[in-house]
Amino acid sequence: MGTCLGRLMGEEPTWGSQYKHNVMFLCNHNSCRSQMAEGWLRSLRGDASVGVASSGIVGGTAVKAGAIMVMDEVGVDITYQTSDAMAKYKPEDFDVVISCCGCGEKLKGESEAWMKQRVFEDWNLDDPPAIDPGDFSAYRRVRDETKAKVEELLLKLK
């Protein structure tokens, strides 16, 4: 799986051999933090040759409405992104793997290859749906923290 067809028919591939670097954002469910990280990287990469995908240890859930809403507030559209299972991808297709939620501990055994890529970071971001008091403040805080981390990552990759 050296290239991908993108997430929607006709869409440019989001990652693959045509990019100098390929980043995988991992999370438990691929429904919030990893979705925001993917959206930020797509939005901020400019002409940098950086492909991006996101997935979950458990995939197939839905992208959280709160994540979509707070990203839309800053002009980043993630409505088309899908919640995918990590099993859909191969670790060797990505040279940068970011655990958004501290799930590095869950990447043992057959999933350990994800931790052995050129770059592996565990950002350990808070889980907005679990802690938000109902005003989306936790979503906004994590959105902004994620943006700063993605900006730092892009600087390292350029």
Side-chain angles (χ1 to χ4, degrees):
M1 204 188 300
T3 61
C4 79
L5 298 176
R7 291 190 174 181
L8 300 172
M9 289 299 255
E11 178 183 315
E12 285 293 313
T14 62
W15 61 273
S17 59
Q18 69 274 27
Y19 294 103
K20 181 178 178 186
H21 297 286
N22 285 287
V23 177
M24 171 59 77
F25 290 108
L26 292 175
C27 212
N28 283 322
H29 297 284
N30 189 223
S31 63
C32 188
R33 294 165 283 192
S34 53
Q35 295 289 342
M36 288 193 281
E38 179 181 352
W40 276 126
L41 196 145
R42 286 182 191 218
S43 175
L44 297 171
R45 69 183 165 193
D47 62 358
S49 184
V50 181
V52 62
S54 66
S55 64
I57 293 172
V58 177
T61 60
V63 180
K64 297 286 185 193
I68 293 169
M69 182 191 82
V70 300
M71 292 299 286
D72 186 59
E73 290 174 352
V74 293
V76 179
D77 181 9
I78 64 169
T79 57
Y80 59 87
Q81 293 178 192
T82 58
S83 176
D84 299 318
M86 183 175 74
K88 176 180 169 181
Y89 300 95
K90 291 193 239 176
E92 60 270 19
D93 290 336
F94 298 89
D95 59 317
V96 180
V97 177
I98 306 294
S99 162
C100 293
C101 63
C103 64
E105 281 299 309
K106 296 179 182 178
L107 298 174
K108 302 293 182 195
E110 28 182 272
S111 297
E112 199 164 350
W114 288 101
M115 295 173 60
K116 295 182 177 182
Q117 298 314 302
R118 189 175 67 79
V119 174
F120 177 83
E121 294 180 9
D122 205 334
W123 288 356
N124 207 16
L125 297 163
D126 287 335
D127 184 16
I131 63 169
D132 193 75
D135 62 0
F136 297 98
S137 59
Y139 282 89
R140 290 182 183 101
R141 179 179 56 77
V142 172
R143 173 200 64 203
D144 297 343
E145 290 171 1
T146 303
K147 178 183 182 185
K149 289 186 171 290
V150 168
E151 288 172 330
E152 288 174 24
L153 177 63
L154 284 167
L155 286 174
K156 291 180 202 172
L157 296 177
K158 288 187 176 180

